[in-house]
Amino acid sequence: MSRDTTDVADRRTLLKLTGGAGLVALSGCLSTTDDGGDGDDGSDGSDGGDGDDGMDGDDGSDGGDTTEAFQIGMVDSQTGSLSAFGERNQRGVNLALSRVNEVGIDGRELDIVVEDSESENQGGIAAAQKLVNQDGVPFLIGAVGSGVSLAIYESVVEGNDVVQLSQNSTGLNLTEFPGLLRMSPSGRSQSLALSNIIADDGYDEVAVTYVNNDYGQSLTDAFVDAYDGDVVYNTPHDQDQQSYSGVISEMNGSGADAWLFVTYQAEFATMVNEVFSSGYEAQFYGADSVSGDNVLENTPEGSIDGMKIVVPSAPVEEENYQSFAEDFAAEYDRQPTSWAAYAYDCVINAALAIQAADEFTGAALNDTVRRVSGPEGETVTSFAAASEILADGGGPDDVDYQGVSGPIDFNEDGDPVGFLQVLEVQDHEYEGIDFVEG
């Protein structure tokens, strides 16, 4: 992977103007096991909160005559380990829904029925089954965790007349399922970026601990493959443990001065406190899922200063993202995270696919969902502009919707073009210091 070394100073200035690291707050959607959420996007980000301004209940629409609306479904983490990300998603979804329904789709509104995955595989499957089998939706946005998304695809979507587009999943193994589209980039580029950063910082040995699920394993395996130095400690840990003192002691005993954490916020905060109380010292690095307000609030001041974290990022320097961020801040009095941007683009992409399709079926939408954001058409940055092209007789290949989260442009594996940002903890706050294009 080639690294983007564009002018960091200029971009740092932009970040400060637009809200800093909160614009791209992190977390990748990890994969989960059947008995737990995967917590990919472990960050709280700047648009976190109590969710009062998110969607309540199953229906994400703003009203209107739902009997005439195009109805699609969404599986989101409204409860469980990834609920903070579910709240962020819903804010992005609500904003996108308002933009779509201001214009309409061939004179009709878009309606989104939201079901809770409970941040677990089985909960996600049950939610998707309800949406597909009972509500009959031909388009399904979901899910947050990569394991949940894959479970839904294999159990509900594959072989059925329905399109699935994940809002947040970054698990590497999703690339092996081209029928499962996702708006957020694969974690593979994150692993490569981490390996480059650690090597560039002069460390030829690293100790790694990762959460014991598909997300943690796959991202760590990709890191190990990419890293030119020696991985002297490489051990998984389980979620929701009261203590990780054994893991921390072993990392310290490995002799490595660089420690990489591929886990979730709660687990990482516990580890940090145990490192701090033990007096151990090391240079910390992390995947996106270790970063967030929960970590800052539950660890001592200065305990993670200097830590570097690679997170998925929206292209914050682009005009359409800045316009989105302004609208978001006006609506919710906070800056968006990249995860809210991904969810926003899922709704816009779905609406354009519906307008471009010959009929409201999964087969027809599967034919248009990639094409309305493909590079062949006229570049547009809003639903209104894209919808006008389609209303004037244009087809799906006449539109190239450039999302607020990036150019999209799904490849043959269902993965989009992605952007990454490098954060550094300074004075117990996250600061953007560099960008990498995945």
Side-chain angles (χ1 to χ4, degrees):
M1 179 189 69
S2 62
R3 301 187 62 202
D4 184 354
T5 56
T6 51
D7 190 340
V8 177
D10 288 345
R11 287 182 167 179
R12 186 181 298 128
T13 300
L14 171 67
L15 285 173
K16 289 180 179 178
L17 291 173
T18 53
L23 286 175
V24 295
L26 9 130
S27 148
C29 288
L30 334 178
S31 53
T32 68
T33 57
D34 288 341
D35 57 356
D38 55 44
D40 298 318
D41 21 313
S43 105
D44 275 342
S46 62
D47 76 332
D50 58 11
D52 289 342
D53 50 3
M55 286 186 287
D56 294 320
D58 292 342
D59 188 348
S61 78
D62 290 329
D65 186 353
T66 57
T67 60
E68 294 298 325
F70 290 107
Q71 188 175 84
I72 65 174
M74 180 177 184
V75 178
D76 206 12
S77 291
Q78 297 183 318
T79 60
S81 60
L82 300 180
S83 59
F85 302 96
E87 291 172 9
R88 287 197 266 299
N89 284 334
Q90 290 171 6
R91 285 189 272 273
V93 165
N94 276 345
L95 190 59
L97 199 59
S98 68
R99 296 295 175 265
V100 170
N101 288 336
E102 285 170 358
V103 177
I105 306 173
D106 295 332
R108 297 164 66 178
E109 288 193 344
L110 180 65
D111 178 36
I112 303 177
V113 181
V114 182
E115 296 289 341
D116 183 14
S117 70
E118 301 176 352
S119 303
E120 297 183 358
N121 291 6
Q122 291 304 316
I125 291 171
Q129 287 174 332
K130 187 265 183 184
L131 290 167
V132 173
N133 298 331
Q134 296 182 33
D135 297 316
V137 300
F139 196 109
L140 185 66
I141 298 172
V144 176
S146 300
V148 180
S149 291
L150 184 54
I152 290 171
Y153 180 75
E154 293 185 313
S155 299
V156 182
V157 172
E158 190 172 23
N160 288 325
D161 189 25
V162 60
V163 175
Q164 181 183 0
L165 173 58
S166 167
Q167 64 271 42
N168 293 159
S169 297
T170 62
L172 278 67
N173 60 338
L174 267 63
T175 297
E176 301 170 11
F177 301 86
L180 200 177
L181 306 178
R182 54 176 158 185
M183 194 60 68
S184 53
S186 166
R188 186 173 303 280
S189 56
Q190 188 179 149
S191 296
L192 296 174
L194 282 165
S195 69
N196 286 336
I197 291 167
I198 294 173
D200 289 350
D201 284 349
Y203 295 102
D204 55 11
E205 290 186 341
V206 63
V208 184
T209 187
Y210 60 90
V211 64
N212 192 18
N213 60 24
D214 289 343
Y215 162 75
Q217 180 75 66
S218 61
L219 197 151
T220 300
D221 286 348
F223 170 81
V224 171
D225 289 343
Y227 183 58
D228 290 333
D230 294 326
V231 180
V232 296
Y233 180 84
N234 183 6
T235 301
H237 57 266
D238 293 329
Q239 291 178 243
D240 302 322
Q241 301 300 297
Q242 294 296 314
S243 173
Y244 294 97
S245 60
V247 171
I248 295 304
S249 178
E250 291 173 358
M251 293 180 80
N252 186 64
S254 72
D257 292 324
W259 295 6
L260 172 61
F261 298 88
V262 184
T263 188
Y264 305 137
Q265 291 182 74
E267 288 75 9
F268 179 61
T270 299
M271 293 178 187
V272 170
N273 281 292
E274 292 176 335
V275 170
F276 188 79
S277 64
S278 299
Y280 300 148
E281 293 185 2
Q283 172 62 46
F284 285 1
Y285 298 89
D288 61 319
S289 52
V290 305
S291 171
D293 288 347
N294 282 350
V295 173
L296 300 179
E297 292 166 1
N298 291 291
T299 55
E301 291 278 342
S303 58
I304 55 174
D305 279 1
M307 182 178 189
K308 294 181 180 179
I309 305 163
V310 176
V311 303
S313 170
V316 297
E317 69 275 18
E318 297 294 332
E319 183 178 347
N320 63 323
Y321 179 83
Q322 294 183 31
S323 177
F324 161 73
E326 290 173 3
D327 291 346
F328 192 100
E331 183 71 21
Y332 301 118
D333 194 28
R334 65 192 74 201
Q335 290 293 332
T337 63
S338 58
W339 306 104
Y342 295 136
Y344 179 98
D345 279 340
C346 281
V347 175
I348 301 298
N349 209 90
L352 292 175
I354 292 168
Q355 186 169 351
D358 294 332
E359 57 185 8
F360 190 52
T361 64
L365 295 175
N366 189 58
D367 180 59
T368 58
V369 64
R370 298 170 184 254
R371 295 163 63 189
V372 292
S373 61
E376 294 82 8
E378 179 181 345
T379 298
V380 290
T381 58
S382 69
F383 174 77
S387 178
E388 183 177 0
I389 294 172
L390 296 173
D392 287 343
D397 295 326
D398 296 316
V399 176
D400 176 14
Y401 171 65
Q402 298 278 311
V404 300
S405 66
I408 306 178
D409 291 346
F410 299 111
N411 64 19
E412 62 183 9
D413 297 319
D415 295 339
V417 174
F419 294 85
L420 301 170
Q421 188 187 27
V422 182
L423 306 179
E424 184 176 67
V425 181
Q426 301 174 5
D427 298 325
H428 216 60
E429 296 290 342
Y430 301 110
E431 297 290 342
I433 62 171
D434 200 357
F435 281 86
V436 180
E437 185 170 341

